Amino acid sequence: MEQYEPERLSPVQLAALRRSFRNGRASLSRRSLLRASAGGALAVGGLGALSACGIPAAGKTQGGVSAEDHSAKEKTINFSNWTEYMDVDDSEKHHPTLDAFTQRTGIKVKYTEDINDNVEFFGKIKPQLAAGQDTGRDIIVVTDWLAARLIRFGWVQKLNASNLPHAFTNLSDQFRNPDWDPGRAYSYPWQGISTVIAYNKKALDGIEVKSLSDMLDNPKLKGRVGFLSEMRDSVGMTLLDLGKDPEKFTDDDFDAAIARMQKAVDKGQIRRFTGNDYTSDLTKGDFAACIAWAGDVVQLKADSPDVDFLIPDSGYLTSTDNMLIPNKARHKTNAERLMDYYYEPEPAAELAAYINYVCPVDGVKPYLAKIDKNAANNPLIIPDKAMAAKSHAFRSLTQKEETAYEEKFAKLTGA
């Protein structure tokens, strides 16, 4: 396990961090928009900024430290999640799927919406984890880059597969083997997040866009193309367009992607690099096409008949929010039962119908169709096999890579 040590941000990483909070996914509300993922300097630098606070280095462990499991005597679970990331009833006072779990098992869930962004939440739990203490939480939900860090530090517990039969069986293939947790020994996805190409049909006015190359090379789209200010999204989609795998790319591959975008910037093809404010450009038609986050597209399509999306033949990027059990959690078995519950098709469908993110559960579509046929047929919520086969994750970065890549991307974007 990696030892937890203070890390300092370079100036360009600090700029990327501020950019993400100001107008990237970190700045967005939970229900209608996407929230902070692995953007900007957050993947390594964000934790580094928080780590320079005088907390002693944690000792190396071999996969988490459990307290005595009180699940049998204490029928409870403390569950921390993002805001607006759980189904609610019309009164907005009850969570139907959690209530059904309690009725079935007798286990009460103390559900707390106390995660607003990954960096801030890490700051809350870091002192206890570094000191080997209970955080007071049995399940936390964090984005893949932070999940990877917690696993490497040895700050989360290895899961007992015997308590997760539905999760093991029903987890979608595209989420089974991230490079930071092969085989999902420590985590299971709560929901998936996709990066795609969005376009405005009226603004395109018959111009064909099927790939990033179409966006970057067609002179008729000059000044009407948008890319994202989140490095992983823009670089990752460009790598795919160049025939490179974001999960295995080299420094030379990264440089080629930067050069490809730089050429488009120099000739005025790319209008600008944006955070979430691309949604306004897209709906107004200032962007004819842009790189976009799927959660936004679901909402925009509902409000604007001109907005739609496409998945390039080269593929698209996927990241995940993940459930983990911190060290010293008192109710590990109870927590695993709840994690497994959300991999049963019925509760998974109820959750998907409400929050409209990528459901990581195989076999959920017919159950979702009974609730919302449009959601069940929306590939941004239930990817079909062809779409799932095109998904790619952006690989984990070292501190050295993070610094070098952010510097190059900042120079490109003028940040």
Side-chain angles (χ1 to χ4, degrees):
M1 292 293 171
E2 175 182 341
Q3 187 170 356
Y4 178 69
E5 296 176 350
E7 297 166 351
R8 299 284 182 177
L9 290 180
S10 68
V12 72
Q13 286 177 308
L14 283 169
L17 176 62
R18 295 188 188 102
R19 185 171 67 247
S20 186
F21 280 123
R22 183 173 64 251
N23 65 0
R25 282 178 281 187
S27 68
L28 311 179
S29 64
R30 184 88 210 113
R31 177 70 178 114
S32 61
L33 304 172
L34 292 171
R35 47 103 219 109
S37 180
L42 299 183
V44 174
L47 296 186
L50 288 167
S51 66
C53 300
I55 300 299
K60 295 184 179 180
T61 70
Q62 295 300 318
V65 180
S66 62
E68 180 183 352
D69 192 348
H70 296 267
S71 293
K73 295 181 179 179
E74 298 177 7
K75 297 294 185 178
T76 187
I77 299 170
N78 295 306
F79 186 178
S80 283
N81 205 348
W82 298 78
T83 58
E84 305 292 342
Y85 216 12
M86 180 67 75
D87 56 307
V88 297
D89 64 5
D90 292 339
S91 73
E92 298 188 355
K93 295 180 179 179
H94 300 282
H95 303 290
T97 56
L98 288 177
D99 292 345
F101 174 80
T102 297
Q103 287 182 340
R104 181 199 297 184
T105 64
I107 300 170
K108 294 182 179 180
V109 182
K110 181 181 179 182
Y111 184 74
T112 307
E113 296 180 335
D114 61 346
I115 306 179
N116 294 308
D117 66 72
N118 288 289
V119 173
E120 180 186 56
F121 183 66
F122 183 78
K124 290 181 181 180
I125 62 175
K126 171 176 59 69
Q128 295 100 320
L129 291 172
Q133 298 172 351
D134 180 11
T135 65
R137 298 167 174 88
D138 300 304
I139 298 178
I140 60 174
V141 177
V142 296
T143 307
D144 42 20
W145 64 264
L146 181 52
R149 262 292 163 112
L150 295 174
I151 291 169
R152 288 198 300 270
F153 288 154
W155 285 357
V156 294
Q157 299 186 53
K158 192 170 185 178
L159 301 173
N160 183 347
S162 65
N163 292 328
L164 294 154
H166 296 96
F168 179 81
T169 300
N170 296 334
L171 176 61
S172 297
D173 287 343
Q174 72 183 98
F175 299 119
R176 281 192 179 272
N177 286 293
D179 64 357
W180 48 269
D181 187 18
R184 293 288 180 178
Y186 296 90
S187 68
Y188 269 95
W190 177 249
Q191 298 292 297
I193 303 167
S194 299
T195 303
V196 299
I197 292 177
Y199 59 90
N200 184 306
K201 301 175 196 175
K202 186 175 181 180
L204 284 177
D205 192 25
I207 299 171
E208 185 176 68
V209 171
K210 293 184 177 181
S211 67
L212 249 66
S213 289
D214 291 335
M215 293 166 58
L216 295 176
D217 297 334
N218 191 332
K220 294 181 180 180
L221 295 177
K222 182 178 180 178
R224 297 195 293 142
V225 170
F227 271 52
L228 291 169
S229 58
E230 301 286 5
M231 182 265 287
R232 284 165 177 76
D233 294 298
S234 288
V235 172
M237 292 293 282
T238 305
L239 284 168
L240 286 168
D241 191 66
L242 291 170
K244 304 298 183 179
D245 188 346
E247 299 175 64
K248 300 177 182 178
F249 69 89
T250 65
D251 287 347
D252 287 343
D253 295 334
F254 184 92
D255 289 344
I258 292 292
R260 180 83 167 100
M261 288 183 282
Q262 186 67 61
K263 181 180 179 181
V265 169
D266 292 343
K267 67 181 182 180
Q269 191 78 4
I270 296 177
R271 184 184 185 93
R272 64 191 183 105
F273 290 81
T274 73
N276 175 255
D277 46 333
Y278 76 84
T279 57
S280 176
D281 289 296
L282 184 62
T283 54
K284 289 188 300 183
D286 291 339
F287 283 163
C290 63
I291 298 176
W293 295 312
D296 289 344
V297 178
V298 172
Q299 299 295 323
L300 294 175
K301 278 174 58 67
D303 297 332
S304 173
D306 292 327
V307 173
D308 212 333
F309 78 100
L310 65 92
I311 303 298
D313 288 341
S314 58
Y316 67 102
L317 290 182
T318 299
S319 59
T320 52
D321 287 331
N322 308 275
M323 297 179 283
L324 302 100
I325 300 176
N327 283 358
K328 295 298 184 73
R330 288 178 61 89
H331 312 108
K332 182 174 184 286
T333 299
N334 290 346
E336 289 166 340
R337 291 182 67 183
L338 182 62
M339 292 167 69
D340 192 62
Y341 167 74
Y342 279 104
Y343 276 81
E344 296 180 25
E346 293 92 338
E350 291 184 54
L351 182 65
Y354 183 80
I355 64 176
N356 293 331
Y357 281 77
V358 179
C359 181
V361 182
D362 267 348
V364 76
K365 185 173 182 176
Y367 298 89
L368 181 56
K370 296 178 182 178
I371 304 170
D372 186 337
K373 289 184 178 180
N374 289 333
N377 292 321
N378 188 336
L380 296 181
I381 299 174
I382 308 293
D384 56 27
K385 290 184 178 180
M387 182 172 173
K390 292 182 179 181
S391 70
H392 300 267
F394 197 97
R395 70 169 173 82
S396 300
L397 300 179
T398 65
Q399 174 71 17
K400 182 179 179 180
E401 288 175 327
E402 182 75 27
T403 300
Y405 292 170
E406 282 294 352
E407 287 176 350
K408 293 175 181 179
F409 188 70
K411 183 178 180 180
L412 167 73
T413 62

